[in-house]
Amino acid sequence: MKTTGLIGIGNPFMGDDGIGPLLIERLRASGVLDDQIRLIDGGTGGMSVVHELALLDAAVIVDAGDFGGQPGDYRIFSVQKNGVFSVEPGNADSMTYSAAHARIQWPFDKQSPCGKVKSDKSSGGFSIHEWDPIKTIELSMMMDELPQPLHIMVIQPQAIALRRFLSKFLQVRLSEYESVLQTLFKPYCRNDAGRR
Amino acid sequence: MKRSLNINIEHIARVEGHGSIELNVREGSIEKLQWNIPEAPRFFEAMLQGRHFNQLQPMASRICGICSIAHSLAALKAVEAALDVRISEQTLLLRRLALHGENIQSHILHVGYLAAPDLFGSGSIIPMLKSARTTVTHIVRIHRLANAMSDLICGRTTHPLRFKVGGFTALPAPEDLKNLRKELKNSIKTVKKVAEAIHTQVSQLPDFSRETEYIALRHDGLYALYDGLIASSDTGVHPVEDYLNITNEYVEPYSTAKLTRHRRESYMVGALARFNLNASQLGELAWEIADLFGLSPVNCSPFMNTIAQLAEIADSIEDAIAVIDELQARGLAEEAVKVEARAGRGIGAVEAPRGILFHDFTIDALGNCTRANFIIPTNQNNANIQKDMEAWVPSIIDRPQKEIELMLEMLVRAYDPCISCSTHYLKIKFR
């Protein structure tokens, strides 16, 4: 069985940005995922995520990100070994994935919903305090440590601001997000998956 | 015509530290040159007041996400001094091991992720993967090992879970220690390769030296990280209890961070200060690296701080192996620790990766903290950074603006302050 993990990225003190760690917490408590799946609170990310990815054969990252959707909507990227992204569902003409600490613009068309993703984050580098998911993935890829498959579930925030709770837009869809994650992990679960 | 120049390197919010540089030159003469710390006060000293002594270490750990082990140990030492708690040899060895893990982790972050891109002419470590892929891979592997070391001894990478007043809440399994020793041994060649790669770019280090005072812990038997007396290159050795007379904190209206001075206008702490004061106690591996770069005490180039850190990575690996050998020979055992509340004051000093760190607690008879004081390495280096700039800028003022910006940022980064990330990303405005 592959070593599989779910990494939730975000800051629980910043409202909807905390969706990643919150989902980790909820899935850990509910036990609905196979207990072989590692549930990782990636915090605000950075190099620690590169190290976590290196230990996984297959992974899903959950992060809040602005892709121009309605608050609470989500998109799922799949990252191939060569760094090419594809998106599911692929019905948008263009997308900007603007995570709390990075903004990524990715033009693609309906016929070919995949392409190279580049971060246009204003910071020029990569540091221990800066989370730029694309640079993290790039580093992981160039070190031949990228899990396959690797999915990124991006959830559109309503607001990223100093508060300890999610907006109602995300709050009401928590079960839906969990179901999506369960589906994503289905190929990696044992038949008796789920402890409860 | 003499040159006029306005450089305003602004701080950027959100990163752990915020720093900015302002340089105004009018017709060849410097009107303003200021290294600013505009970071908001964090009130940790106030937050700790009223807290029970068992809460002080976990809270103080949160001062820094990079040096949480050093802050934890300084806090524990201060509490233990106040309550007159003696720690066992086993606890001492495990704490040394934890501090080595943090030293390796923090130093490789700085050397590899923050300083190396300057030397390789790269904006960050990502483009370095194209030009120096093997070196980056080695850097990441060392960082990963250091994280694993912290996980094993402290229970997690950042903000230790297993520390407590007087000892540890859980011990590493002997088999895990054995594996760690093997990994550390294997990492020696990796560290040497990183050093060799950095050496190929050493000509990129700016040629600047300024004599200053160096302050670090000094221990009779060991290269001091966990324990020792305060040593100054100007005034010799002082008891830790004299730390206020050594640091002499003061404030400037432009900075929300305090500054310090001792015998001169400023002093330096950190790897280069430790090297300059205690180099004779470094092991063979560290000297191999120091010799490669021609680093010998007393070296007054702040840029050699990065090289001193490389040497310290090697030394921490070598000493960590020796510590594990000792722990294995002794055998690990759960230890009962008796800690009772009593009124007292305690001062804890350790060498954090960035330099000497002081925690000072006063505790009442119920075991609650009534007063706390912290003096952190970055604050102690602030005045020295300013004085370095004042000494250096006149000699580089005729260079292209971009070059001056880079050189000033490199100078700040050489000190490895917590604001090094933000200085890497500074936006520069010319008027």
Side-chain angles (χ1 to χ4, degrees), chain A residues 52-63:
Chain A
E52 293 290 358
L53 289 173
L55 299 172
L56 300 173
D57 298 311
V60 176
I61 293 173
V62 187
D63 193 9

Side-chain angles (χ1 to χ4, degrees), chain A residues 142, chain B residues 120-122 124-136:
Chain A
M142 293 180 84
Chain B
F120 283 82
S122 175
S124 79
I125 198 167
I126 304 284
M128 261 183 74
L129 267 165
K130 291 184 181 116
S131 59
R133 183 191 170 94
T134 310
T135 301
V136 174

Side-chain angles (χ1 to χ4, degrees), chain B residues 301-357:
Chain B
S301 168
F303 295 100
M304 292 305 276
N305 190 48
T306 305
I307 307 306
Q309 287 181 333
L310 257 177
E312 280 196 349
I313 290 171
D315 200 61
S316 274
I317 289 171
E318 198 173 24
D319 195 50
I321 291 169
V323 169
I324 292 172
D325 287 345
E326 209 171 329
L327 283 167
Q328 286 176 326
R330 294 168 54 88
L332 285 162
E334 299 287 343
E335 295 173 326
V337 181
K338 193 177 175 188
V339 182
E340 289 176 349
R342 67 165 210 174
R345 180 185 172 203
I347 298 158
V350 300
E351 283 289 339
R354 290 167 186 78
I356 194 166
L357 165 69

Side-chain angles (χ1 to χ4, degrees), chain A residues 47-48 50-51 54 101 121-130 135-136 138-139 141-145, chain B residues 14-16 66 109 113-114 123-126 129-130 133 136-137 140 143-144 147 418 421 424-425 427:
Chain A
M47 277 307 295
S48 60
V50 177
H51 300 321
H101 307 289
K121 189 176 181 184
S122 58
S123 59
F126 189 90
S127 91
I128 41 193
H129 300 303
E130 298 278 337
K135 287 199 173 74
T136 297
E138 209 177 331
L139 182 57
M141 180 187 75
M142 293 180 84
M143 292 185 66
D144 293 326
E145 294 178 343
Chain B
R14 188 167 45 77
V15 292
E16 190 168 275
I66 307 163
L109 273 170
Y113 301 152
L114 303 176
S124 79
I125 198 167
I126 304 284
L129 267 165
K130 291 184 181 116
R133 183 191 170 94
V136 174
T137 305
V140 174
H143 184 221
R144 193 167 289 163
N147 280 358
C418 283
C421 304
H424 216 92
Y425 304 144
K427 287 180 179 173

Side-chain angles (χ1 to χ4, degrees), chain A residues 91-157:
Chain A
N91 57 358
D93 292 325
S94 67
M95 181 179 289
T96 299
Y97 165 28
S98 175
H101 307 289
R103 198 176 75 231
I104 299 139
Q105 288 188 324
W106 175 33
F108 61 91
D109 58 49
K110 287 174 189 170
Q111 283 70 41
S112 176
C114 60
K116 287 272 184 186
V117 174
K118 285 187 178 174
S119 167
D120 70 345
K121 189 176 181 184
S122 58
S123 59
F126 189 90
S127 91
I128 41 193
H129 300 303
E130 298 278 337
W131 165 242
D132 181 336
I134 296 306
K135 287 199 173 74
T136 297
I137 288 165
E138 209 177 331
L139 182 57
S140 181
M141 180 187 75
M142 293 180 84
M143 292 185 66
D144 293 326
E145 294 178 343
L146 203 63
Q148 283 296 291
L150 170 64
H151 301 295
I152 308 178
M153 182 178 183
V154 184
I155 298 172
Q156 177 77 41

Side-chain angles (χ1 to χ4, degrees), chain B residues 233-271:
Chain B
S233 55
D234 285 1
T235 61
V237 174
H238 307 263
V240 166
E241 288 70 25
D242 279 358
Y243 84 100
L244 289 172
N245 295 326
I246 302 293
T247 51
N248 301 295
E249 281 190 317
Y250 65 100
V251 293
E252 290 286 358
Y254 59 82
S255 175
T256 54
K258 289 179 179 173
L259 296 95
T260 59
R261 61 184 160 220
H262 182 225
R263 179 53 62 92
R264 311 184 191 206
E265 287 179 304
S266 67
Y267 63 84
M268 184 177 185
V269 300

Side-chain angles (χ1 to χ4, degrees), chain B residues 126-363:
Chain B
I126 304 284
M128 261 183 74
L129 267 165
K130 291 184 181 116
S131 59
R133 183 191 170 94
T134 310
T135 301
V136 174
T137 305
H138 288 151
I139 287 165
V140 174
R141 284 196 182 133
I142 296 166
H143 184 221
R144 193 167 289 163
L145 171 62
N147 280 358
M149 198 168 161
S150 298
D151 291 344
L152 179 62
I153 310 301
C154 305
R156 64 179 171 193
T157 309
T158 309
H159 303 309
L161 291 169
R162 292 181 174 175
F163 289 175
K164 69 174 183 181
V165 177
F168 279 77
T169 59
L171 300 174
E175 191 59 27
D176 290 339
L177 267 185
K178 191 178 161 190
N179 289 337
L180 174 62
R181 187 191 188 283
K182 190 177 160 192
E183 292 298 318
L184 286 165
K185 199 88 183 165
N186 289 340
S187 74
I188 291 172
K189 56 179 181 294
T190 313
V191 171
K192 285 182 183 175
K193 282 178 184 166
V194 170
E196 284 160 12
I198 299 283
H199 186 250
T200 63
Q201 307 297 317
V202 76
S203 62
Q204 302 302 314
L205 285 174
D207 181 18
F208 167 71
S209 284
R210 182 180 70 87
E211 194 183 301
T212 190
E213 181 181 4
Y214 296 96
I215 291 180
L217 286 179
R218 179 167 180 77
H219 188 277
D220 280 345
L222 294 165
Y223 187 80
L225 288 181
Y226 179 75
D227 226 343
L229 300 171
I230 303 170
S232 154
S233 55
D234 285 1
T235 61
V237 174
H238 307 263
V240 166
E241 288 70 25
D242 279 358
Y243 84 100
L244 289 172
N245 295 326
I246 302 293
T247 51
N248 301 295
E249 281 190 317
Y250 65 100
V251 293
E252 290 286 358
Y254 59 82
S255 175
T256 54
K258 289 179 179 173
L259 296 95
T260 59
R261 61 184 160 220
H262 182 225
R263 179 53 62 92
R264 311 184 191 206
E265 287 179 304
S266 67
Y267 63 84
M268 184 177 185
V269 300
L272 186 64
R274 292 191 287 264
F275 181 88
N276 280 338
L277 290 161
N278 303 320
S280 63
Q281 293 169 311
L282 284 168
E284 268 179 42
L285 271 176
W287 270 110
E288 209 175 302
I289 288 171
D291 286 343
L292 176 67
F293 289 88
L295 176 65
S296 61
V298 172
N299 188 300
C300 296
S301 168
F303 295 100
M304 292 305 276
N305 190 48
T306 305
I307 307 306
Q309 287 181 333
L310 257 177
E312 280 196 349
I313 290 171
D315 200 61
S316 274
I317 289 171
E318 198 173 24
D319 195 50
I321 291 169
V323 169
I324 292 172
D325 287 345
E326 209 171 329
L327 283 167
Q328 286 176 326
R330 294 168 54 88
L332 285 162
E334 299 287 343
E335 295 173 326
V337 181
K338 193 177 175 188
V339 182
E340 289 176 349
R342 67 165 210 174
R345 180 185 172 203
I347 298 158
V350 300
E351 283 289 339
R354 290 167 186 78
I356 194 166
L357 165 69
F358 300 102
H359 283 205
D360 178 356
F361 297 138
T362 303
I363 292 171

